[in-house]
Amino acid sequence: MTQQEKLELIIKTLDSKKGEDIQAIRIADLTILADYFVIVNGNSNTHARTLADEVEYQLSQRGIEPERRESDTGNTWIILDYADIIVHVFYKETRSFYKLEGLWADGEQVDITNLIEP
């Protein structure tokens, strides 16, 4: 699976589970952490956990496992680290608090409108 196919699968999976305000930011020129961040929020802690679980499940069905999964005890933030793509799943209020998009504002916003349902 190519990086682009993996990115598209992650975005489509989050969208299929009603992830809110999905954003993909290309950060390859800014850091060695990853090539892309995908940021999404759920409308509850349970929804956030479901989003992360579904991404992990869909990629594992294709033989891709995260190098690391981190979360807080309340599932207000969950990180799936796939080395080249890091998925940040937040509870809505937690996302507002951390403002990750602002921290990586120098990154390139990826147009994902063709991957999500209107």
Side-chain angles (χ1 to χ4, degrees):
M1 177 174 271
T2 68
Q3 183 181 64
Q4 185 63 34
E5 290 169 335
K6 188 179 355 174
L7 181 64
E8 289 177 9
L9 177 60
I10 290 168
I11 292 165
K12 287 178 179 180
T13 299
L14 293 170
D15 185 52
S16 75
K17 291 295 181 183
K18 308 297 185 211
E20 298 177 345
D21 193 16
I22 303 168
Q23 293 190 31
I25 304 171
R26 185 176 181 281
I27 57 167
D29 297 334
L30 303 175
T31 183
I32 60 170
L33 292 175
D35 293 337
Y36 292 93
F37 278 170
V38 175
I39 305 168
V40 64
N41 65 267
N43 55 32
S44 70
N45 298 8
T46 303
H47 187 210
R49 187 178 68 243
T50 299
L51 292 167
D53 289 349
E54 187 65 18
V55 167
E56 196 168 1
Y57 173 76
Q58 290 299 326
L59 288 175
S60 71
Q61 291 297 302
R62 290 153 178 88
I64 302 169
E65 300 297 333
E67 291 189 7
R68 169 178 290 167
R69 178 183 172 131
E70 297 283 334
S71 66
D72 67 345
T73 55
N75 291 309
T76 62
W77 60 264
I78 303 164
I79 298 171
L80 299 173
D81 182 352
Y82 289 98
D84 57 342
I85 301 172
I86 299 177
V87 182
H88 298 269
V89 182
F90 290 102
Y91 176 58
K92 190 180 297 187
E93 281 74 22
T94 306
R95 182 177 183 173
S96 296
F97 177 78
Y98 284 106
K99 300 178 183 164
L100 201 55
E101 297 91 334
L103 292 174
W104 294 96
D106 291 339
E108 175 189 340
Q109 286 286 332
V110 178
D111 182 7
I112 61 170
T113 54
N114 62 325
L115 301 174
I116 58 176
E117 295 293 321

